[in-house]
Amino acid sequence: MLLKVFLFCKWTQGHSDNGNTVGFVPVTTRWLSDAHMLLLDVTDDRIRGEGQIQQESTYFSQALQEERYRYERLEEQMNDLIELHQNEIENLKQGIADMEEKVQYQSEERLRDVHDILDNCQTRISRMEHQQHQHLQQLVTLDAVENSQARALLLKLVNIALTVLQVVLLLVATLSNIIMPFLRTRYSILFI
């Protein structure tokens, strides 16, 4: 467009410099007609450009609104997820603390049970030793056995039998103490 205006101005300068006034009116009329056409073209281009700019502005404005709306939704979802995760973490911490307390209580209870069983076993051993001592005294006083070697052998056999019995009872008590927590745990899990 600007090239047309420039060429038109050059053409009019070239024709007006030669001093020919007869062709001036038709040239001026023609020049005005061409200028008017040029102005209409420029106006049309400007209107089309403004329309295109308006369309692009509307498009970008709508796109910006959609992105803003999408961003707000994503931000809300993210905040909801963060809050949900924080609540889950708090619940897990509370559950772990409860479980830890429960396990500690059960461990203390089992420890008390083991101490009770050991005390009970110690009491049995003491009773057995006392009974062994009484049996030895009874055997010593036996008049039926007159031979001292036979009596000594009999006493040694009784001592060995009582010692073996003590060891067997100690082993049984220890094994039962070791096995009982596992059996108790399995039943506890089933009934909880």
Side-chain angles (χ1 to χ4, degrees), residues 38-50:
L38 185 61
L39 183 63
L40 288 177
D41 285 345
V42 169
T43 305
D44 286 344
D45 287 344
R46 184 185 58 81
I47 291 172
R48 274 194 300 261
E50 286 177 356

Side-chain angles (χ1 to χ4, degrees), residues 1 29 64 90 93 103 107 109 124 183:
M1 281 301 179
T29 307
L64 182 63
E90 288 299 320
K93 284 181 181 178
V103 166
S107 297
E109 186 176 310
R124 286 180 190 168
L183 295 175

